[in-house]
Amino acid sequence: MEDLIDFINNLREGFIRCGMPFTFGLPQIAVVGGQSSGKSSLLETFVRRDFLPRGSDIVTRTPLILNLKNSDGPEHGVFLHRPGPMYDFSAIKEEIANQTEILAGPGKNISNIPIHLTIFSPHVVDVTLVDLPGSVKVRVSSQPSDIVNQVHSTIMKYISKEETIILAVTAGNVDLANSDAIQISQEVDPEGYVGVVLRSQEDIENNVSMVEALENEKRFFTESEEFRHLNGRIGTEYLGNLLSKELRAHIMRCIPSLKQYMQKNLDNANSKIAELDPLFSPRYKRQTIYRLLDSVRISIVDELEGLYPTLVQLSGYSTGSLVLRAATKHKAALMSAEIDLDEAAIGYAITNSAAVNFFHFTSNSPLQRLLSFELGKIITPIIDAIEEISDLVVTCTTQALQQLSGFPTLQEIVRGKLKQNIEKQKKKCILLMTSFIRSRQVYIDPDSVKTVIPDKLGAPLQSPPRKTRGQPLH
């Protein structure tokens, strides 16, 4: 039977953790009472610990769902909003106050969002209690203008549910006919009473322990003739056991409808899963991946070829136009570069190449060495052009991959493959261009020399009858 309460608590917490609404009213006990009616003292007596914040104004500004769990281990509390157990009950009190500030704000407003706390102790009975804000009838100057309505609506939200058991707490010096708790409870469900004796404010200030308070309560009912006929059916311990028993019985009554509710929602969920089943088949997944990859491919091709570009750079130009502009810029720079050759340099080359040999005709080897050296100078600018164009293509693919932002794993895989392929093609292009230039450095077509050495350099040089090594020809 005790597992039923755990089952309901776990069910409630499971839906809360998942952030899912749960419209079925789960059985619980709502603690209702006016300000300073003794609600906090009653709950602390159940737990036998001081753990609730206190004050002269409205202190309970958010519902506190308190799960009491009988346990043989050390006493501790666990909050739903923060991980880990807390063994210091003064720290639990402080955490309740801090979380209240977060949910309801620093003022005196009320929040409908509850704080969930489970206390494990060998001194408690298995029961779930909801500590609600104390009811007010008249607003004081420090409270919000609608404080009465805020409190009333919060209380009614919990006690109006058919599955809720109402625990109306009334101070012993208040006429039951004028009790705020009784009046608000009777709006939904009037029932009987159980008398208890709790710690007074003087007892709290004098640090009267819970054990002493329980002994004082037993002594009071035992020595009072007015309550002897209620022996065994009065007091805090009896009330706790009665609430636990009533909660279990209430859960038993709710189980058939709860089972029906859960089965209905399970059937609806299975029906939706069945409708979505084709979307999770291997065939559909492959089609989805192919469609996404093809979309990326089309975006890249259109951007590079200028066919209805779907991606626009910050400069306003498509990647294809930027590639063309970069190639044109580097080509113009190469075409405008002057060849560092003049008659003196050529003369030195011819003279020095002959060394001690006498010759009557000019050899092509000096000119070939000169032109080979000049051709080698354009390798670096060509590599720079390839690097710039490669960076533009990488930027284009990065923009196209934004289409896969909803599939981060696939996006990273494709990004890696594209980057790898671009790098591979860049290296091939650099190798091709450098190999082409190297081949021209090894052999130079004499007929092409005319286009390299303009006519303004003069007529072909003839070898002189005499020369001095290291000096230009005259």
Side-chain angles (χ1 to χ4, degrees), residues 13 21 30 112 148 154 202 212 230 235 251 253 273 300 388 404 441:
E13 292 183 4
N112 288 328
V148 176
T154 300
E202 182 180 357
E212 292 178 284
L230 296 174
I251 292 174
R253 291 192 295 269
I273 292 175
I300 296 174
E388 181 177 347
L404 303 182
Q441 288 178 302

Side-chain angles (χ1 to χ4, degrees), residues 252-324:
M252 288 297 295
R253 291 192 295 269
C254 292
I255 282 181
S257 56
L258 176 60
K259 181 179 179 181
Q260 184 179 5
Y261 173 86
M262 297 294 290
Q263 187 62 51
K264 179 181 178 182
N265 282 271
L266 178 62
D267 293 340
N268 291 336
N270 288 332
S271 177
K272 291 181 180 179
I273 292 175
E275 294 176 1
L276 297 175
D277 185 63
L279 302 181
F280 296 94
S281 64
R283 180 173 177 271
Y284 180 83
K285 291 180 180 179
R286 287 194 299 270
Q287 290 177 343
T288 301
I289 293 175
Y290 293 155
R291 175 176 52 80
L292 291 171
L293 294 180
D294 194 55
S295 177
V296 172
R297 180 191 64 81
I298 292 174
S299 296
I300 296 174
V301 171
D302 287 352
E303 181 70 7
L304 291 175
E305 295 186 353
L307 302 173
Y308 308 103
T310 56
L311 308 171
V312 179
Q313 308 300 323
L314 295 178
S315 62
Y317 296 105
S318 67
T319 303
S321 63
L322 292 176
V323 169
L324 180 60

